[in-house]
Amino acid sequence: MLQSLYLNNFAIIEELHIDFSNGFTVITGETGAGKSIIAGSLLLLSGAKADINILKNKEKKAIIEALFNSTINEVKELFKQHEIEWSNEIILRRELLPSGTSRCYINDTIVSVNVLKEISAFLIDIHSQHQNLQITHQNFQLFVLDVLAQQLTDVKSFKKQYQQYLQQINKLKILKEQQQKSKQEADFLSFQLQEFNAIKYTEQEFSELEQKYQTLEHAEEIAIKLSEIIQTGKEQDNSTLTQLKSITKLLQSLSHQYFKADLWLQRADNLYFEFKDLISEIEQEFEHIQANPALLEQIQKEINTVYNLQQKYHLKNYPEILELKNDIKLKLSKINHIDNDILQLEETIDVLKTELDKWAQKLHRQRQKASEILVKQIIPILNNLGMPNVNFVIDLKKSENLSEFGYSIVEYLFSSNIKIPPQPIEKIASGGELSRVMLSLKTIIAHQNTCETIFFDEIDTGISGEIAYHMGHIMQQLATHMQVISITHLPQVAACGKQHKQVSKNQNNKGTIVVVKDLSEQERIYEIAKMLSAKEITNSALEQAKHLLKH
């Protein structure tokens, strides 16, 4: 329940603190005293849009803070979900900054407006006069049925899965658009791949091919020079090998007389055998070097193919050619798989649709049962609120198309005149009748709804006399199940309250200040008498006020 409300620099209020009790609390005061400001502050704590014009001092921030006491399990779960430290005492706080931005806090943890709205919905139900129009909206009408059917959790889960279903349909649409575009792209990519399919070599293999081309291109020149090397190096009279061998023999004979010659001998031996091995290897290679015009032409053709592709696609080197070839293959693979992806996605959508269909059928059946219960319960309440000939019908139909509400389409039909058939409530009901129907609905669902506090902002507009007393009595009964706070201008409703708060404006040296006062029994008599009197408070008004409070 709501325990207290604190306002600072808000509208005409410089600073105000209000304590609330359980049961039924009424708030009265003259027009313009500031009653609606209280309702407006609670709406902001429920996530309503903030306006910088609400700042009393435009250079300071405004603070709205409410203390609730709650043991609702759903709220506890939301705290855990949003990583907010749990406590039975819950402080909702909103700060409106001169810059036009706002900050939201729950138990000193900064949260988004959406989180504030989500959690506050379980703490307080704020019903202002313009919200009577809610009753004309299908989502509210279905909400009432779902509360009575005790399937709000199922409806929330259904909507979540329905959103997933829509996301998959949107994904399928995008895939099919891609499929259409990719048909043209696939032709172009296939043409490109045909060009690149001529590239059959790895990076290492192509490097070796280039080397082979260089060898074949200069085969005759290479053969001549290798022959010269072999002739110079082989064991002939003046060859290098012969000279190295002579040096070795001389060093061998000298080694017995000169110690360094032995070291040089080892190096000379190594040079001799290494050089001999080198000449042998060159000789073997020479045997394979020969001109081959046909092979040279074939290799040149393959290399030119690579160079032409490199030039055509503005590529720097062979690795970039291989990279582009792989990219083309990957793109074609994705295009080729898109048909399979579409097929799989269509199967997933069919499964989701089947599950949603079964779920929606169940929700609709439960709503049908709830609509019968609602009609039986609301008629006696409306009779008691001055509509003896009321006819209230719930036109619940089944749509052919699935929506976030399932298959249900609902319309509340209403007539307070026995001679007029029921019509859509928004077309036929007056403002006072809408207020009475809304109060009746709120009363019926209060037993099922988890919200612990309901705040009425002049829901009794357009009502008077005996009907007003019955409305107050209904609020009084409602307060046995939850905390009820009502801003009212009707003395009959005010008299039904367990606590009575009066809002007034006073003047001091700082200007206008708003005062909220808890009225004593005697003060309540005077306040209700003032509400009953047109101008001056008469003795008869005082007696009538006493009578209202007594009964």
Side-chain angles (χ1 to χ4, degrees):
M1 64 170 248
L2 176 62
Q3 292 183 304
S4 65
L5 177 66
Y6 173 77
L7 306 177
N8 185 289
N9 194 39
F10 186 73
I12 62 173
I13 296 172
E14 185 172 337
E15 188 172 39
L16 180 65
H17 185 278
I18 311 171
D19 290 319
F20 293 94
S21 302
N22 59 1
F24 183 24
T25 298
V26 293
I27 301 174
T28 62
E30 294 181 359
T31 301
K35 301 187 301 298
S36 61
I37 295 173
I38 298 171
S41 67
L42 289 171
L43 282 170
L44 281 172
L45 287 176
S46 297
K49 188 177 180 180
D51 188 345
I52 190 174
N53 294 321
I54 206 69
L55 302 180
K56 179 178 174 66
N57 183 339
K58 305 300 181 186
E59 297 179 357
K60 290 172 56 181
K61 68 180 178 182
I63 299 173
I64 307 102
E65 186 174 284
L67 172 64
F68 291 87
N69 188 285
S70 177
T71 56
I72 299 172
N73 288 330
E74 287 86 348
V75 177
K76 194 172 183 178
E77 286 299 317
L78 285 172
F79 268 55
K80 182 178 179 181
Q81 180 182 331
H82 296 294
E83 298 181 346
I84 304 170
E85 187 175 350
W86 169 252
S87 170
N88 288 341
E89 289 195 338
I90 300 170
I91 299 174
L92 304 186
R93 178 185 176 96
R94 193 164 183 188
E95 297 179 356
L96 311 181
L97 307 180
S99 62
T101 59
S102 73
R103 290 193 292 252
C104 307
Y105 301 85
I106 299 177
N107 285 1
D108 290 330
T109 298
I110 193 163
V111 297
S112 66
V113 173
N114 288 334
V115 172
L116 182 71
K117 185 183 295 186
E118 185 180 18
I119 290 177
S120 64
F122 286 94
L123 301 175
I124 186 167
D125 177 8
I126 303 168
H127 184 85
S128 57
Q129 186 180 343
H130 74 273
Q131 285 178 309
N132 283 331
L133 295 176
Q134 270 190 332
I135 199 174
T136 65
H137 300 158
Q138 179 176 238
N139 55 352
F140 177 77
Q141 294 178 358
L142 285 173
F143 168 77
V144 172
L145 297 179
D146 290 332
V147 170
L148 286 176
Q150 299 183 29
Q151 60 180 12
L152 286 179
T153 301
D154 285 344
V155 169
K156 184 178 180 181
S157 299
F158 175 85
K159 287 184 178 180
K160 185 176 180 180
Q161 186 159 327
Y162 179 74
Q163 289 303 318
Q164 293 174 352
Y165 170 71
L166 291 183
Q167 288 171 4
Q168 297 300 318
I169 289 178
N170 187 54
K171 187 177 177 181
L172 179 63
K173 179 183 175 184
I174 293 171
L175 272 179
K176 286 187 174 181
E177 289 174 354
Q178 289 176 349
Q179 183 188 42
Q180 189 65 28
K181 292 178 182 178
S182 65
K183 287 180 180 179
Q184 297 176 352
E185 187 182 4
D187 293 338
F188 176 67
L189 289 172
S190 296
F191 169 75
Q192 283 186 318
L193 189 59
Q194 277 185 340
E195 290 184 300
F196 282 93
N197 277 338
I199 309 300
K200 302 174 183 178
Y201 304 103
T202 65
E203 186 178 349
Q204 178 64 32
E205 287 170 343
F206 183 70
S207 177
E208 292 172 355
L209 187 68
E210 286 182 311
Q211 292 172 7
K212 189 172 184 179
Y213 174 76
Q214 290 291 331
T215 301
L216 285 172
E217 189 178 26
H218 303 93
E220 186 175 342
E221 182 181 350
I222 292 169
I224 292 171
K225 289 182 179 179
L226 288 179
S227 177
E228 291 178 3
I229 292 171
I230 293 167
Q231 293 301 320
T232 303
K234 288 188 74 174
E235 297 184 2
Q236 297 175 359
D237 292 341
N238 294 322
S239 70
T240 303
L241 277 175
T242 302
Q243 292 174 1
L244 279 172
K245 194 171 185 180
S246 297
I247 291 169
T248 302
K249 288 180 179 180
L250 287 170
L251 286 171
Q252 189 175 14
S253 62
L254 187 61
S255 63
H256 300 293
Q257 300 165 345
Y258 185 48
F259 74 97
K260 285 189 178 180
D262 189 50
L263 296 173
W264 293 337
L265 176 62
Q266 293 178 22
R267 291 172 65 186
D269 277 338
N270 290 337
L271 283 171
Y272 174 79
F273 288 112
E274 180 67 25
F275 192 74
K276 185 177 182 181
D277 186 62
L278 173 64
I279 295 300
S280 176
E281 188 175 327
I282 292 173
E283 200 170 18
Q284 289 176 9
E285 186 66 23
F286 172 74
E287 292 175 1
H288 295 93
I289 297 296
Q290 56 183 335
N292 189 336
L295 181 60
L296 177 64
E297 184 180 356
Q298 179 186 340
I299 293 175
Q300 185 177 27
K301 186 177 180 181
E302 292 180 8
I303 290 176
N304 285 341
T305 299
V306 173
Y307 289 163
N308 289 337
L309 283 175
Q310 188 173 323
Q311 186 177 8
K312 180 178 180 180
Y313 291 98
H314 307 289
L315 302 172
K316 296 178 182 178
N317 47 47
Y318 192 75
E320 287 191 2
I321 292 179
L322 294 179
E323 185 178 350
L324 181 56
K325 181 181 179 182
N326 289 333
D327 286 344
I328 294 170
K329 281 183 175 180
L330 185 61
K331 287 179 181 178
L332 273 173
S333 176
K334 287 181 178 179
I335 291 172
N336 293 334
H337 280 87
I338 200 168
D339 292 339
N340 187 51
D341 291 342
I342 287 173
L343 183 62
Q344 289 181 353
L345 191 54
E346 285 176 337
E347 290 174 355
T348 300
I349 289 172
D350 287 341
V351 171
L352 278 173
K353 178 69 165 56
T354 301
E355 292 175 357
L356 287 170
D357 179 71
K358 292 178 182 177
W359 209 341
Q361 300 279 9
K362 181 182 176 183
L363 293 177
H364 187 74
R365 288 193 299 270
Q366 294 296 103
R367 286 167 180 158
Q368 286 176 323
K369 294 177 183 177
S371 63
E372 295 173 5
I373 295 170
L374 180 57
V375 171
K376 289 179 181 178
Q377 291 184 357
I378 199 171
I379 295 296
I381 300 174
L382 292 174
N383 291 158
N384 201 29
L385 288 173
M387 289 186 273
N389 299 316
V390 70
N391 195 349
F392 188 87
V393 177
I394 297 175
D395 185 14
L396 183 66
K397 296 177 181 177
K398 189 176 177 184
S399 170
E400 293 182 0
N401 300 317
L402 197 65
S403 74
E404 63 174 332
F405 303 112
Y407 285 120
S408 300
I409 300 175
V410 69
E411 191 169 39
Y412 287 4
L413 307 179
F414 172 86
S415 174
S416 59
N417 190 324
I418 197 170
K419 295 182 180 180
I420 300 176
Q423 298 178 36
I425 194 166
E426 69 272 16
K427 294 181 180 179
I428 194 171
S430 65
E433 288 171 336
L434 283 176
S435 294
R436 282 176 273 177
V437 173
M438 180 58 85
L439 177 60
S440 302
L441 292 172
K442 295 275 186 179
T443 302
I444 291 168
I445 65 176
H447 301 284
Q448 302 291 339
N449 206 354
T450 55
C451 192
E452 295 176 323
T453 300
I454 188 165
F455 189 101
F456 293 113
D457 182 14
E458 297 190 0
I459 192 176
D460 47 23
T461 300
I463 295 167
S464 59
E466 188 69 16
I467 299 171
Y469 174 76
H470 286 301
M471 180 170 276
H473 185 62
I474 287 173
M475 290 186 189
Q476 202 174 51
Q477 289 180 319
L478 185 59
T480 61
H481 302 284
M482 64 193 305
Q483 183 188 34
V484 179
I485 304 169
S486 179
I487 295 175
T488 182
H489 64 280
L490 295 178
Q492 296 92 335
V493 173
C496 292
K498 179 182 175 184
Q499 295 87 28
H500 191 151
K501 296 181 181 293
Q502 180 199 55
V503 181
S504 61
K505 286 194 298 187
N506 295 335
Q507 297 290 331
N508 62 13
N509 56 359
K510 293 183 179 180
T512 303
I513 62 169
V514 175
V515 177
V516 178
K517 181 181 180 182
D518 289 312
L519 299 183
S520 65
E521 193 66 27
Q522 191 61 37
E523 288 170 330
R524 289 191 73 185
I525 294 172
Y526 185 83
E527 175 72 6
I528 292 171
K530 186 168 65 172
M531 296 170 75
L532 286 164
S533 303
K535 293 181 180 180
E536 296 181 1
I537 298 175
T538 62
N539 288 331
S540 61
L542 288 169
E543 290 301 316
Q544 192 175 354
K546 291 177 183 178
H547 176 77
L548 284 173
L549 285 167
K550 183 178 179 181
H551 296 284

